[in-house]
Amino acid sequence: MAIVNMLLTTSLLILCCWFSYTDITERRISNKLTYPAILFLFVFRTLCSPEYLWGLIPGIVLFLIFMISPSSLGAGDVKLVTLIGLGIGVERAVVVVFLMCIFVFLYLGGRRLLSLAVQRSVPLAPFLSLGLIIVIL
């Protein structure tokens, strides 16, 4: 099972790198990749390791935030957090989201210190990917 988790984690890292690229360049995270990946992981985790289904909680929390204030978060970011939660479990997914918040805060603070224009919206996929890399290492 360790090899399977390693392969899933590696695949998740590759997907997150791709999503980071598309989020920066196009400001979108593709549904054509997220939906099948979420479905695959959901079915796989249900059959093989149901304790990972708790990883849906961070995605549900972000979905509720998105529903309350749609301008504060993108739907692709919600799906990406759901995917990460199913891939690595709830504890580590919460750490990834926490690290993402820290990195976004540092990024925006750095822009302000350098007197650069503060961005109205920030692509979160790169910060989620960075958090994922740190949690995995």
Side-chain angles (χ1 to χ4, degrees):
M1 193 63 166
I3 293 174
V4 172
N5 279 332
M6 185 180 69
L7 288 173
L8 287 175
T9 304
T10 304
S11 300
L12 185 60
L13 275 172
I14 292 168
L15 273 176
C16 282
C17 289
W18 175 252
F19 292 147
S20 295
Y21 172 75
T22 60
D23 201 16
I24 290 169
T25 59
E26 302 171 16
R27 296 287 192 179
R28 62 188 231 32
I29 296 173
S30 171
N31 291 337
K32 292 178 183 177
L33 293 174
T34 53
Y35 286 141
I38 289 171
L39 180 63
F40 170 78
L41 275 176
F42 182 78
V43 170
F44 179 76
R45 293 302 190 193
T46 300
L47 297 174
C48 298
S49 47
E51 66 274 5
Y52 279 84
L53 293 178
W54 288 103
L56 290 170
I57 291 174
I60 292 169
V61 170
L62 288 184
F63 177 72
L64 292 174
I65 293 170
F66 174 74
M67 293 304 292
I68 292 169
S69 176
S71 63
S72 65
L73 190 63
D77 302 317
V78 173
K79 291 177 278 193
L80 185 55
V81 169
T82 303
L83 183 62
I84 289 171
L86 284 172
I88 64 174
V90 66
E91 298 91 2
R92 297 194 310 173
V94 168
V95 174
V96 168
V97 171
F98 180 72
L99 288 172
M100 175 208 64
C101 292
I102 291 172
F103 294 140
V104 169
F105 177 76
L106 291 172
Y107 171 73
L108 292 175
R111 287 187 67 87
R112 175 161 266 185
L113 283 174
L114 295 172
S115 299
L116 299 173
V118 177
Q119 291 178 289
R120 187 107 178 118
S121 67
V122 177
L124 296 181
F127 300 107
L128 282 168
S129 299
L130 184 58
L132 180 64
I133 289 168
I134 290 172
V135 165
I136 289 172
L137 294 178

